[in-house]
Amino acid sequence: MMNIKIKCMYKWAWPMLLVLLLCGCTAKAVQTDESGLPPHLSVNLQLPRSFETGSSNVFSVEVSKSNKPLEHADTAEFVIWREDNKDSAVTIKADETSPGLYSASYVIDGEGLYFVQSRIKFADTQVMPMKRFAIGAHAIERLTQLESAQHSDAPAPAAGGHH
């Protein structure tokens, strides 16, 4: 008789214990802004107005979350490489020069077409905007051609109607 009571107790006790354990778990709360949406992230990678070889060039990235400067990023850096040589990429640590603005300076040795990518990490998010820039007349001409070709690559109109 006692054995039957113990078996009956196990039938309802285990599911009850499982429910209690699951109710005790907390879900990771998602932050929301004043409109109840996840916070909006804005990134603006800024290049120097003009580049000079052999001189310090300042690269900056402005980061905001829900229209407020994103301060104290876990990691802030720039990666710069020449178009034809990604293996020679250089990573430069960026400093927070004002709230949400991260900057670094770098001396570029020669003319050519370059890429710069900023890498900002905070919490469980990483943003990595990238831009091209050119130094020297030939490189500027090539960049202009690349950008105009990129802008003219409009999607083909959809085929419609009957034949």
Side-chain angles (χ1 to χ4, degrees), residues 28-89:
K28 184 177 178 182
V30 176
Q31 292 180 340
T32 58
D33 63 12
E34 58 277 353
S35 61
L37 299 171
H40 177 71
L41 189 66
S42 297
V43 181
N44 180 15
L45 176 56
Q46 302 166 359
L47 301 179
R49 291 190 190 272
S50 63
F51 291 94
E52 294 184 35
T53 57
S55 295
S56 185
N57 297 281
V58 178
F59 297 87
S60 300
V61 63
E62 190 175 14
V63 186
S64 62
K65 188 174 184 180
S66 296
N67 296 321
K68 295 178 185 156
L70 178 73
E71 298 181 73
H72 314 299
D74 298 332
T75 304
E77 60 191 17
F78 291 92
V79 181
I80 301 171
W81 68 94
R82 197 175 172 132
E83 175 194 38
D84 55 358
N85 193 1
K86 184 157 184 171
D87 293 337
S88 69

Short mmCIF file of all heavy atoms in Angstrom, two decimals, residues 28-89:
data_model
loop_
_atom_site.label_atom_id
_atom_site.label_comp_id
_atom_site.label_asym_id
_atom_site.label_seq_id
_atom_site.Cartn_x
_atom_site.Cartn_y
_atom_site.Cartn_z
N LYS A 28 16.42 36.57 -20.43
CA LYS A 28 17.19 37.79 -20.64
C LYS A 28 16.25 38.85 -21.19
O LYS A 28 15.66 38.70 -22.24
CB LYS A 28 18.33 37.53 -21.64
CG LYS A 28 19.21 38.73 -21.82
CD LYS A 28 20.36 38.41 -22.75
CE LYS A 28 21.21 39.63 -22.96
NZ LYS A 28 22.29 39.36 -23.89
N ALA A 29 16.12 39.93 -20.45
CA ALA A 29 15.21 41.00 -20.86
C ALA A 29 15.84 41.79 -22.00
O ALA A 29 17.01 42.15 -21.95
CB ALA A 29 14.91 41.91 -19.69
N VAL A 30 15.08 42.07 -23.03
CA VAL A 30 15.54 42.86 -24.16
C VAL A 30 15.27 44.32 -23.85
O VAL A 30 14.15 44.68 -23.48
CB VAL A 30 14.82 42.43 -25.46
CG1 VAL A 30 15.22 43.32 -26.61
CG2 VAL A 30 15.09 40.98 -25.75
N GLN A 31 16.30 45.15 -23.97
CA GLN A 31 16.11 46.57 -23.73
C GLN A 31 15.27 47.15 -24.85
O GLN A 31 15.40 46.77 -26.00
CB GLN A 31 17.45 47.29 -23.70
CG GLN A 31 18.31 46.92 -22.52
CD GLN A 31 19.63 47.68 -22.56
OE1 GLN A 31 20.05 48.16 -23.60
NE2 GLN A 31 20.27 47.79 -21.42
N THR A 32 14.42 48.09 -24.48
CA THR A 32 13.61 48.78 -25.48
C THR A 32 13.70 50.27 -25.24
O THR A 32 14.00 50.73 -24.14
CB THR A 32 12.12 48.34 -25.40
OG1 THR A 32 11.63 48.61 -24.09
CG2 THR A 32 11.96 46.87 -25.73
N ASP A 33 13.45 51.03 -26.31
CA ASP A 33 13.46 52.48 -26.17
C ASP A 33 12.08 52.96 -25.74
O ASP A 33 11.20 52.16 -25.41
CB ASP A 33 13.93 53.15 -27.47
CG ASP A 33 13.01 52.88 -28.65
OD1 ASP A 33 11.89 52.38 -28.44
OD2 ASP A 33 13.41 53.20 -29.79
N GLU A 34 11.87 54.28 -25.76
CA GLU A 34 10.60 54.83 -25.28
C GLU A 34 9.40 54.39 -26.11
O GLU A 34 8.28 54.40 -25.65
CB GLU A 34 10.67 56.37 -25.22
CG GLU A 34 11.00 57.07 -26.51
CD GLU A 34 12.51 57.13 -26.79
OE1 GLU A 34 13.31 56.75 -25.95
OE2 GLU A 34 12.86 57.53 -27.91
N SER A 35 9.62 53.94 -27.35
CA SER A 35 8.50 53.48 -28.18
C SER A 35 8.30 51.97 -28.07
O SER A 35 7.47 51.41 -28.77
CB SER A 35 8.71 53.89 -29.64
OG SER A 35 9.89 53.29 -30.14
N GLY A 36 9.07 51.31 -27.22
CA GLY A 36 8.92 49.88 -27.02
C GLY A 36 9.68 49.03 -28.03
O GLY A 36 9.55 47.82 -28.06
N LEU A 37 10.51 49.68 -28.87
CA LEU A 37 11.29 48.96 -29.87
C LEU A 37 12.71 48.75 -29.38
O LEU A 37 13.18 49.48 -28.52
CB LEU A 37 11.31 49.76 -31.17
CG LEU A 37 9.95 50.01 -31.82
CD1 LEU A 37 10.09 50.99 -32.98
CD2 LEU A 37 9.37 48.70 -32.32
N PRO A 38 13.42 47.76 -29.95
CA PRO A 38 14.83 47.61 -29.58
C PRO A 38 15.58 48.89 -29.92
O PRO A 38 15.24 49.58 -30.87
CB PRO A 38 15.31 46.44 -30.46
CG PRO A 38 14.09 45.73 -30.88
CD PRO A 38 12.98 46.75 -30.89
N PRO A 39 16.62 49.24 -29.15
CA PRO A 39 17.35 50.48 -29.40
C PRO A 39 17.94 50.51 -30.80
O PRO A 39 18.43 49.50 -31.31
CB PRO A 39 18.46 50.47 -28.36
CG PRO A 39 18.16 49.39 -27.42
CD PRO A 39 17.16 48.48 -28.06
N HIS A 40 17.87 51.70 -31.43
CA HIS A 40 18.41 51.88 -32.78
C HIS A 40 19.87 52.28 -32.68
O HIS A 40 20.24 53.13 -31.88
CB HIS A 40 17.62 52.96 -33.51
CG HIS A 40 18.16 53.24 -34.87
ND1 HIS A 40 18.03 52.35 -35.91
CD2 HIS A 40 18.86 54.28 -35.35
CE1 HIS A 40 18.62 52.85 -36.98
NE2 HIS A 40 19.15 54.02 -36.67
N LEU A 41 20.70 51.65 -33.49
CA LEU A 41 22.12 51.92 -33.49
C LEU A 41 22.48 52.70 -34.75
O LEU A 41 22.09 52.33 -35.85
CB LEU A 41 22.87 50.59 -33.48
CG LEU A 41 24.36 50.64 -33.28
CD1 LEU A 41 24.67 51.16 -31.88
CD2 LEU A 41 24.94 49.25 -33.45
N SER A 42 23.20 53.81 -34.59
CA SER A 42 23.66 54.61 -35.72
C SER A 42 25.18 54.67 -35.70
O SER A 42 25.78 54.87 -34.64
CB SER A 42 23.11 56.04 -35.64
OG SER A 42 21.71 56.02 -35.71
N VAL A 43 25.78 54.51 -36.87
CA VAL A 43 27.24 54.54 -37.00
C VAL A 43 27.60 55.44 -38.17
O VAL A 43 27.04 55.32 -39.24
CB VAL A 43 27.79 53.11 -37.24
CG1 VAL A 43 29.30 53.14 -37.33
CG2 VAL A 43 27.34 52.16 -36.16
N ASN A 44 28.56 56.34 -37.94
CA ASN A 44 29.00 57.25 -38.99
C ASN A 44 30.53 57.20 -39.04
O ASN A 44 31.19 57.82 -38.20
CB ASN A 44 28.49 58.67 -38.72
CG ASN A 44 28.93 59.64 -39.78
OD1 ASN A 44 29.37 59.26 -40.87
ND2 ASN A 44 28.83 60.92 -39.48
N LEU A 45 31.07 56.48 -40.02
CA LEU A 45 32.51 56.39 -40.21
C LEU A 45 32.97 57.63 -40.96
O LEU A 45 32.47 57.91 -42.06
CB LEU A 45 32.86 55.12 -40.99
CG LEU A 45 34.32 54.90 -41.36
CD1 LEU A 45 35.22 54.91 -40.14
CD2 LEU A 45 34.46 53.57 -42.11
N GLN A 46 33.88 58.40 -40.37
CA GLN A 46 34.31 59.67 -40.94
C GLN A 46 35.77 59.58 -41.39
O GLN A 46 36.64 59.19 -40.61
CB GLN A 46 34.14 60.78 -39.91
CG GLN A 46 32.72 60.91 -39.42
CD GLN A 46 32.60 61.76 -38.16
OE1 GLN A 46 33.57 62.26 -37.62
NE2 GLN A 46 31.38 61.93 -37.69
N LEU A 47 36.00 59.97 -42.64
CA LEU A 47 37.35 59.99 -43.20
C LEU A 47 37.90 61.41 -43.15
O LEU A 47 37.13 62.38 -43.13
CB LEU A 47 37.31 59.51 -44.65
CG LEU A 47 36.76 58.12 -44.90
CD1 LEU A 47 36.76 57.80 -46.39
CD2 LEU A 47 37.57 57.08 -44.14
N PRO A 48 39.21 61.57 -43.18
CA PRO A 48 39.79 62.92 -43.25
C PRO A 48 39.31 63.63 -44.52
O PRO A 48 39.04 63.00 -45.54
CB PRO A 48 41.30 62.65 -43.33
CG PRO A 48 41.49 61.28 -42.79
CD PRO A 48 40.24 60.53 -43.12
N ARG A 49 39.22 64.95 -44.47
CA ARG A 49 38.80 65.73 -45.65
C ARG A 49 39.79 65.55 -46.79
O ARG A 49 39.42 65.50 -47.94
CB ARG A 49 38.66 67.20 -45.30
CG ARG A 49 37.51 67.49 -44.39
CD ARG A 49 37.29 68.99 -44.28
NE ARG A 49 36.35 69.30 -43.23
CZ ARG A 49 35.04 69.35 -43.42
NH1 ARG A 49 34.53 69.09 -44.59
NH2 ARG A 49 34.24 69.66 -42.41
N SER A 50 41.07 65.51 -46.47
CA SER A 50 42.08 65.26 -47.49
C SER A 50 43.15 64.37 -46.86
O SER A 50 43.36 64.40 -45.64
CB SER A 50 42.69 66.58 -47.98
OG SER A 50 43.34 67.24 -46.92
N PHE A 51 43.78 63.58 -47.70
CA PHE A 51 44.81 62.65 -47.24
C PHE A 51 46.17 63.12 -47.69
O PHE A 51 46.31 63.68 -48.77
CB PHE A 51 44.56 61.26 -47.82
CG PHE A 51 43.34 60.59 -47.28
CD1 PHE A 51 42.13 60.68 -47.94
CD2 PHE A 51 43.41 59.86 -46.10
CE1 PHE A 51 41.00 60.05 -47.43
CE2 PHE A 51 42.28 59.23 -45.59
CZ PHE A 51 41.08 59.33 -46.26
N GLU A 52 47.16 62.88 -46.85
CA GLU A 52 48.53 63.20 -47.21
C GLU A 52 49.40 62.00 -46.88
O GLU A 52 49.29 61.43 -45.79
CB GLU A 52 49.01 64.41 -46.42
CG GLU A 52 48.29 65.69 -46.80
CD GLU A 52 48.86 66.89 -46.07
OE1 GLU A 52 50.08 66.92 -45.85
OE2 GLU A 52 48.07 67.78 -45.74
N THR A 53 50.24 61.61 -47.83
CA THR A 53 51.17 60.52 -47.56
C THR A 53 52.28 61.06 -46.66
O THR A 53 52.68 62.21 -46.76
CB THR A 53 51.78 59.95 -48.86
OG1 THR A 53 52.43 61.00 -49.56
CG2 THR A 53 50.72 59.31 -49.72
N GLY A 54 52.72 60.22 -45.76
CA GLY A 54 53.79 60.60 -44.84
C GLY A 54 53.35 61.47 -43.69
O GLY A 54 54.16 61.81 -42.83
N SER A 55 52.07 61.83 -43.63
CA SER A 55 51.55 62.66 -42.53
C SER A 55 50.46 61.88 -41.81
O SER A 55 49.86 60.96 -42.35
CB SER A 55 50.95 63.96 -43.06
OG SER A 55 51.95 64.75 -43.65
N SER A 56 50.18 62.32 -40.60
CA SER A 56 49.15 61.68 -39.79
C SER A 56 47.76 62.02 -40.33
O SER A 56 47.45 63.18 -40.58
CB SER A 56 49.29 62.16 -38.34
OG SER A 56 48.40 61.49 -37.53
N ASN A 57 46.95 61.02 -40.54
CA ASN A 57 45.57 61.17 -41.01
C ASN A 57 44.65 60.65 -39.91
O ASN A 57 44.86 59.56 -39.38
CB ASN A 57 45.35 60.35 -42.28
CG ASN A 57 46.22 60.83 -43.43
OD1 ASN A 57 45.92 61.82 -44.07
ND2 ASN A 57 47.33 60.14 -43.68
N VAL A 58 43.62 61.43 -39.55
CA VAL A 58 42.74 61.06 -38.44
C VAL A 58 41.46 60.44 -38.99
O VAL A 58 40.76 61.03 -39.81
CB VAL A 58 42.41 62.28 -37.56
CG1 VAL A 58 41.45 61.88 -36.45
CG2 VAL A 58 43.67 62.88 -36.98
N PHE A 59 41.17 59.22 -38.49
CA PHE A 59 39.95 58.48 -38.83
C PHE A 59 39.06 58.49 -37.59
O PHE A 59 39.55 58.33 -36.47
CB PHE A 59 40.28 57.05 -39.22
CG PHE A 59 41.14 56.96 -40.44
CD1 PHE A 59 42.52 57.01 -40.35
CD2 PHE A 59 40.57 56.83 -41.70
CE1 PHE A 59 43.33 56.94 -41.48
CE2 PHE A 59 41.35 56.76 -42.84
CZ PHE A 59 42.74 56.82 -42.73
N SER A 60 37.76 58.68 -37.79
CA SER A 60 36.83 58.72 -36.66
C SER A 60 35.56 57.94 -36.99
O SER A 60 35.20 57.80 -38.15
CB SER A 60 36.42 60.16 -36.35
OG SER A 60 37.55 60.93 -36.02
N VAL A 61 34.92 57.46 -35.94
CA VAL A 61 33.62 56.83 -36.08
C VAL A 61 32.75 57.31 -34.93
O VAL A 61 33.18 57.35 -33.78
CB VAL A 61 33.71 55.28 -36.13
CG1 VAL A 61 34.26 54.71 -34.84
CG2 VAL A 61 32.36 54.66 -36.47
N GLU A 62 31.56 57.76 -35.29
CA GLU A 62 30.60 58.24 -34.31
C GLU A 62 29.53 57.18 -34.15
O GLU A 62 28.93 56.74 -35.13
CB GLU A 62 29.99 59.55 -34.81
CG GLU A 62 29.17 60.28 -33.81
CD GLU A 62 28.71 61.63 -34.34
OE1 GLU A 62 28.80 61.88 -35.56
OE2 GLU A 62 28.23 62.42 -33.52
N VAL A 63 29.30 56.74 -32.90
CA VAL A 63 28.36 55.67 -32.64
C VAL A 63 27.33 56.15 -31.63
O VAL A 63 27.68 56.70 -30.58
CB VAL A 63 29.08 54.41 -32.08
CG1 VAL A 63 28.10 53.25 -31.95
CG2 VAL A 63 30.24 54.01 -32.97
N SER A 64 26.05 55.95 -31.96
CA SER A 64 24.98 56.30 -31.03
C SER A 64 23.97 55.17 -30.96
O SER A 64 23.79 54.41 -31.91
CB SER A 64 24.31 57.62 -31.42
OG SER A 64 23.72 57.50 -32.68
N LYS A 65 23.35 55.07 -29.82
CA LYS A 65 22.33 54.05 -29.57
C LYS A 65 21.09 54.79 -29.09
O LYS A 65 21.13 55.50 -28.08
CB LYS A 65 22.83 53.07 -28.51
CG LYS A 65 21.98 51.87 -28.29
CD LYS A 65 22.68 50.92 -27.33
CE LYS A 65 21.89 49.66 -27.17
NZ LYS A 65 22.54 48.73 -26.25
N SER A 66 20.01 54.68 -29.86
CA SER A 66 18.77 55.40 -29.58
C SER A 66 19.03 56.90 -29.43
O SER A 66 18.57 57.55 -28.49
CB SER A 66 18.10 54.85 -28.33
OG SER A 66 17.71 53.52 -28.54
N ASN A 67 19.81 57.45 -30.37
CA ASN A 67 20.14 58.87 -30.44
C ASN A 67 20.95 59.39 -29.27
O ASN A 67 21.01 60.59 -29.05
CB ASN A 67 18.86 59.71 -30.62
CG ASN A 67 18.18 59.41 -31.93
OD1 ASN A 67 18.84 59.22 -32.95
ND2 ASN A 67 16.86 59.37 -31.91
N LYS A 68 21.59 58.50 -28.52
CA LYS A 68 22.48 58.91 -27.43
C LYS A 68 23.86 58.36 -27.72
O LYS A 68 24.00 57.22 -28.15
CB LYS A 68 21.97 58.37 -26.10
CG LYS A 68 20.64 58.96 -25.68
CD LYS A 68 20.16 58.37 -24.39
CE LYS A 68 18.76 58.91 -24.09
NZ LYS A 68 18.01 58.04 -23.22
N PRO A 69 24.92 59.15 -27.49
CA PRO A 69 26.28 58.66 -27.77
C PRO A 69 26.56 57.34 -27.04
O PRO A 69 26.22 57.19 -25.86
CB PRO A 69 27.17 59.78 -27.22
CG PRO A 69 26.31 60.99 -27.18
CD PRO A 69 24.91 60.49 -26.92
N LEU A 70 27.16 56.42 -27.76
CA LEU A 70 27.53 55.14 -27.17
C LEU A 70 28.91 55.31 -26.54
O LEU A 70 29.92 55.37 -27.23
CB LEU A 70 27.56 54.03 -28.22
CG LEU A 70 27.99 52.68 -27.68
CD1 LEU A 70 26.89 52.09 -26.82
CD2 LEU A 70 28.34 51.74 -28.80
N GLU A 71 28.92 55.43 -25.23
CA GLU A 71 30.17 55.68 -24.52
C GLU A 71 30.78 54.38 -24.03
O GLU A 71 30.09 53.40 -23.80
CB GLU A 71 29.91 56.60 -23.33
CG GLU A 71 29.37 57.96 -23.73
CD GLU A 71 29.15 58.86 -22.54
OE1 GLU A 71 30.16 59.32 -21.97
OE2 GLU A 71 27.98 59.07 -22.18
N HIS A 72 32.10 54.42 -23.87
CA HIS A 72 32.87 53.33 -23.25
C HIS A 72 32.68 51.99 -23.96
O HIS A 72 32.33 50.99 -23.33
CB HIS A 72 32.52 53.20 -21.77
CG HIS A 72 32.50 54.51 -21.04
ND1 HIS A 72 33.61 55.33 -20.93
CD2 HIS A 72 31.48 55.17 -20.42
CE1 HIS A 72 33.28 56.42 -20.25
NE2 HIS A 72 32.00 56.35 -19.94
N ALA A 73 32.90 51.96 -25.25
CA ALA A 73 32.83 50.70 -26.01
C ALA A 73 33.88 49.74 -25.45
O ALA A 73 34.92 50.15 -24.94
CB ALA A 73 33.09 50.95 -27.49
N ASP A 74 33.60 48.44 -25.52
CA ASP A 74 34.55 47.43 -25.05
C ASP A 74 35.82 47.46 -25.89
O ASP A 74 36.92 47.36 -25.37
CB ASP A 74 33.92 46.04 -25.09
CG ASP A 74 32.70 45.93 -24.18
OD1 ASP A 74 32.64 46.66 -23.17
OD2 ASP A 74 31.82 45.11 -24.48
N THR A 75 35.64 47.59 -27.21
CA THR A 75 36.77 47.65 -28.14
C THR A 75 36.44 48.68 -29.21
O THR A 75 35.32 48.72 -29.71
CB THR A 75 37.00 46.29 -28.83
OG1 THR A 75 37.18 45.29 -27.84
CG2 THR A 75 38.21 46.32 -29.73
N ALA A 76 37.42 49.49 -29.56
CA ALA A 76 37.28 50.45 -30.65
C ALA A 76 38.60 50.47 -31.41
O ALA A 76 39.65 50.74 -30.83
CB ALA A 76 36.95 51.84 -30.11
N GLU A 77 38.52 50.13 -32.71
CA GLU A 77 39.75 50.09 -33.51
C GLU A 77 39.42 50.32 -34.98
O GLU A 77 38.27 50.22 -35.39
CB GLU A 77 40.47 48.75 -33.33
CG GLU A 77 39.65 47.55 -33.73
CD GLU A 77 40.25 46.21 -33.31
OE1 GLU A 77 41.14 46.18 -32.43
OE2 GLU A 77 39.83 45.19 -33.87
N PHE A 78 40.47 50.63 -35.73
CA PHE A 78 40.37 50.78 -37.17
C PHE A 78 41.32 49.79 -37.81
O PHE A 78 42.42 49.57 -37.32
CB PHE A 78 40.75 52.20 -37.61
CG PHE A 78 39.77 53.24 -37.17
CD1 PHE A 78 39.93 53.90 -35.97
CD2 PHE A 78 38.67 53.55 -37.95
CE1 PHE A 78 39.02 54.86 -35.55
CE2 PHE A 78 37.75 54.50 -37.55
CZ PHE A 78 37.93 55.16 -36.34
N VAL A 79 40.88 49.21 -38.92
CA VAL A 79 41.74 48.32 -39.71
C VAL A 79 41.87 48.98 -41.07
O VAL A 79 40.87 49.31 -41.71
CB VAL A 79 41.13 46.91 -39.83
CG1 VAL A 79 42.05 46.01 -40.63
CG2 VAL A 79 40.86 46.32 -38.45
N ILE A 80 43.12 49.19 -41.52
CA ILE A 80 43.39 49.88 -42.78
C ILE A 80 44.27 48.99 -43.64
O ILE A 80 45.24 48.41 -43.15
CB ILE A 80 44.09 51.23 -42.53
CG1 ILE A 80 43.20 52.11 -41.64
CG2 ILE A 80 44.43 51.94 -43.84
CD1 ILE A 80 43.86 53.38 -41.14
N TRP A 81 43.89 48.87 -44.93
CA TRP A 81 44.72 48.09 -45.85
C TRP A 81 44.60 48.63 -47.26
O TRP A 81 43.64 49.29 -47.62
CB TRP A 81 44.36 46.60 -45.80
CG TRP A 81 43.02 46.25 -46.34
CD1 TRP A 81 42.72 45.85 -47.61
CD2 TRP A 81 41.76 46.23 -45.64
NE1 TRP A 81 41.37 45.59 -47.73
CE2 TRP A 81 40.77 45.82 -46.54
CE3 TRP A 81 41.40 46.55 -44.32
CZ2 TRP A 81 39.44 45.70 -46.16
CZ3 TRP A 81 40.07 46.43 -43.96
CH2 TRP A 81 39.12 46.01 -44.89
N ARG A 82 45.64 48.35 -48.02
CA ARG A 82 45.66 48.75 -49.43
C ARG A 82 44.81 47.75 -50.21
O ARG A 82 44.82 46.56 -49.92
CB ARG A 82 47.11 48.75 -49.93
CG ARG A 82 47.28 49.51 -51.19
CD ARG A 82 48.76 49.57 -51.56
NE ARG A 82 48.83 50.15 -52.87
CZ ARG A 82 49.65 51.12 -53.19
NH1 ARG A 82 50.51 51.57 -52.30
NH2 ARG A 82 49.65 51.61 -54.40
N GLU A 83 44.11 48.25 -51.22
CA GLU A 83 43.17 47.43 -52.00
C GLU A 83 43.79 46.13 -52.48
O GLU A 83 43.18 45.07 -52.38
CB GLU A 83 42.68 48.23 -53.21
CG GLU A 83 41.81 47.41 -54.14
CD GLU A 83 41.61 48.08 -55.48
OE1 GLU A 83 42.56 48.71 -56.00
OE2 GLU A 83 40.50 47.97 -56.02
N ASP A 84 45.00 46.18 -52.95
CA ASP A 84 45.62 45.00 -53.54
C ASP A 84 46.43 44.17 -52.54
O ASP A 84 47.14 43.26 -52.94
CB ASP A 84 46.51 45.41 -54.72
CG ASP A 84 47.55 46.46 -54.32
OD1 ASP A 84 47.55 46.89 -53.15
OD2 ASP A 84 48.33 46.86 -55.20
N ASN A 85 46.32 44.47 -51.23
CA ASN A 85 47.14 43.75 -50.27
C ASN A 85 46.48 43.69 -48.89
O ASN A 85 46.96 44.29 -47.94
CB ASN A 85 48.52 44.43 -50.18
CG ASN A 85 49.53 43.56 -49.45
OD1 ASN A 85 49.23 42.46 -49.03
ND2 ASN A 85 50.73 44.08 -49.32
N LYS A 86 45.41 42.91 -48.77
CA LYS A 86 44.70 42.80 -47.49
C LYS A 86 45.57 42.15 -46.42
O LYS A 86 45.39 42.39 -45.24
CB LYS A 86 43.39 42.03 -47.66
CG LYS A 86 42.62 42.01 -46.35
CD LYS A 86 41.17 41.78 -46.50
CE LYS A 86 40.52 41.89 -45.13
NZ LYS A 86 39.13 41.89 -45.14
N ASP A 87 46.54 41.34 -46.85
CA ASP A 87 47.43 40.69 -45.88
C ASP A 87 48.27 41.70 -45.10
O ASP A 87 48.78 41.39 -44.03
CB ASP A 87 48.37 39.70 -46.59
CG ASP A 87 47.61 38.50 -47.15
OD1 ASP A 87 46.49 38.21 -46.66
OD2 ASP A 87 48.12 37.87 -48.09
N SER A 88 48.41 42.90 -45.63
CA SER A 88 49.20 43.92 -44.94
C SER A 88 48.32 44.83 -44.08
O SER A 88 48.76 45.93 -43.70
CB SER A 88 49.97 44.76 -45.96
OG SER A 88 49.06 45.55 -46.71
N ALA A 89 47.10 44.40 -43.76
CA ALA A 89 46.19 45.22 -42.96
C ALA A 89 46.83 45.58 -41.62
O ALA A 89 47.50 44.77 -41.00
CB ALA A 89 44.88 44.47 -42.74
#
